[in-house]
Amino acid sequence: MIVLEQLTKRFPAPDGGDPVTALDGVDLHVRRGSIHGIVGRSGAGKSTLIRCLTGLERPTSGRVEIDGVDIARLDGAALRQARRRIGMVFQHANLLDSRTAAQNIAHPLEIAKADPAHRRQRVAELVDLVGLTGREHNHPAQLSGGQIQRVGIARGLAAEPQVLLCDEPTSALDPSTTRQILDLIRDLRDRLGITVVIITHEMSVVREICDDVTLLVDGRVAQSGSLLEAASDPTKPLAAELIPLPPAPTGIDAVAVDCDYGRSTRVHSAQDIVDIAGTYDAEATIVAGTIETISGVQVGRVQITLRNRDHTAISRPGLERFLDELREADVVATEVTR
Ligand SMILES: Nc1ncnc2c1ncn2[C@@H]1O[C@H](COP(=O)(O)OP(=O)(O)O)[C@@H](O)[C@H]1O
Ligand SMILES: [Mg+2]
């Protein structure tokens, strides 16, 4: 659906020095109908990537293919037409204050010179689609933050785009409104079959709605894959952000072990680890952890403490055998040294 190939964007330095490389050979594949998150620190190149996708920014080199068309090579009317198939949603919807919700949604259709009958029908559809029925004649000052973002989403969808690009769509919203807007975006993807790219700095957004996730670091792809892969591979940077291990409790007089079991074919829950300990006559206690269910699979990073059933300290060989068994089951098990 969206394919970036060796996308590079350099900006001339303001002081005439070395150019700034905002994107450096980015390869990316966004599956049709997926919700793809792009994460990375400030300055990583996320906005530049989105601007290249919309054709607002021309790459220094590389391809930006949407539905088989390299938009980096289009000009004039062809570029305008390609851009109509791409909807944008921003952190702040920046609605026109003097217009009602419905009139704001109609705005892109007026610019595209859609005929008035079609425009009215399309606006009515969009109002219904984003759940604004009853509010369509309100002005922005009479709408909540969540309703304003619904108008922004409806406006982004007005021209029936196949791709919706969202730049920090929920960063200005409170947690419960964020959840409603994310539910709406997922629902729109399901109903319309659109492909969604979502830029965010919030890992909770990625956990909640993304199918795939890409981490940009200094203009390069540091990690890219399905959410489940990303969450369950503790050797790569995203796992610790998606499934953070809480700080280890102190003062427990037992051996502590960190366990990551997202990739295991045998350990499917923290309880399974407790059960394995039982087969060694040991007692495992879960003392800290983050557990998420991603694509129907439980991914956990938990810390356990281990001792003998009679509460005496576990022997070194006993501990080693337990760790070996966990590792054979593809659990990443690391003894915590204090
Ligand atoms: N128009 C521009 N001119 C010069 N440098 C730019 C321009 N746009 C972005 N940059 C630089 O490119 C890098 C990536 O910026 P940006 O894409 O905005 O990152 P992000 O959105 O991840 O914070 C930064 O170093 C930024 O200063
Ligand atoms: Mg940005």
Side-chain angles (χ1 to χ4, degrees):
M1 176 73 217
I2 299 177
V3 181
L4 303 182
E5 253 177 45
Q6 286 299 301
L7 174 62
T8 294
K9 178 66 188 181
R10 290 194 192 88
F11 293 106
D15 56 4
D18 290 339
V20 178
T21 303
L23 295 173
D24 191 4
V26 169
D27 289 320
L28 184 68
H29 183 202
V30 177
R31 294 181 293 137
R32 182 183 303 279
S34 66
I35 301 181
H36 194 115
I38 310 254
V39 297
R41 297 229 172 101
S42 172
K46 304 180 298 297
S47 294
T48 305
L49 190 147
I50 279 246
R51 290 170 66 81
C52 287
L53 278 174
T54 58
L56 276 171
E57 203 77 77
R58 213 169 263 279
T60 307
S61 60
R63 288 174 69 78
V64 181
E65 213 178 87
I66 298 185
D67 241 349
V69 177
D70 184 0
I71 66 155
R73 274 167 189 66
L74 298 179
D75 279 307
L79 179 60
R80 278 196 299 279
Q81 190 178 348
R83 289 180 61 182
R84 231 169 270 144
R85 313 191 62 189
I86 301 166
M88 283 286 305
V89 174
F90 304 94
Q91 179 174 356
H92 298 284
N94 289 321
L95 302 183
L96 299 167
D97 290 331
S98 60
R99 289 172 159 238
T100 64
Q103 289 166 344
N104 268 284
I105 296 169
H107 196 224
L109 296 169
E110 290 164 17
I111 291 172
K113 301 198 166 60
D115 79 74
H118 167 74
R119 207 194 317 159
R120 269 192 302 277
Q121 187 207 332
R122 181 72 188 137
V123 169
E125 277 169 20
L126 288 161
V127 163
D128 179 50
L129 196 61
V130 301
L132 278 173
T133 306
R135 299 267 178 256
E136 58 268 52
H137 303 304
N138 288 23
H139 284 81
Q142 303 162 312
L143 296 171
S144 68
Q147 288 164 344
I148 286 174
Q149 195 54 299
R150 284 172 196 268
V151 176
I153 291 170
R155 189 185 53 188
L157 292 171
E160 300 183 55
Q162 310 222 312
V163 176
L164 191 65
L165 304 178
C166 308
D167 197 347
E168 299 280 1
T170 59
S171 297
L173 303 175
D174 62 66
S176 96
T177 310
T178 291
R179 211 160 307 120
Q180 289 166 17
I181 293 296
L182 295 178
D183 284 347
L184 172 64
I185 292 173
R186 191 197 292 108
D187 182 50
L188 291 169
R189 184 279 304 270
D190 292 347
R191 287 159 72 178
L192 306 175
I194 51 175
T195 304
V196 179
V197 176
I198 204 165
I199 288 190
T200 182
H201 70 277
E202 295 169 300
M203 283 296 160
S204 56
V205 169
V206 175
R207 273 198 300 269
E208 213 148 306
I209 66 163
C210 291
D211 302 304
D212 299 320
V213 58
T214 294
L215 170 67
L216 281 186
V217 176
D218 294 338
R220 294 187 193 165
V221 173
Q223 189 178 351
S224 187
S226 76
L227 188 61
L228 180 58
E229 280 163 20
S232 57
D233 185 354
T235 67
K236 301 246 175 75
L238 278 171
E241 305 215 32
L242 286 166
I243 317 282
L245 187 66
T250 52
I252 290 164
D253 187 22
V255 181
V257 180
D258 283 346
C259 304
D260 290 272
Y261 57 83
R263 292 162 90 79
S264 177
T265 49
R266 238 188 80 205
V267 171
H268 303 292
S269 69
Q271 182 60 43
D272 287 347
I273 294 173
V274 173
D275 290 346
I276 290 175
T279 65
Y280 289 89
D281 264 343
E283 189 179 83
T285 306
I286 301 157
V287 291
T290 303
I291 295 168
E292 292 281 341
T293 301
I294 294 173
S295 312
V297 176
Q298 198 182 98
V299 180
R301 293 164 69 81
V302 298
Q303 187 168 105
I304 59 164
T305 56
L306 201 68
R307 49 191 182 176
N308 291 322
R309 280 232 179 90
D310 62 5
H311 290 192
T312 56
I314 194 161
S315 71
R316 182 53 43 185
L319 173 68
E320 294 296 343
R321 275 199 303 276
F322 173 68
L323 292 179
D324 282 346
E325 175 154 354
L326 288 182
R327 287 169 187 150
E328 261 166 47
D330 265 335
V331 174
V332 179
T334 318
E335 187 181 345
V336 180
T337 48
R338 299 180 202 269

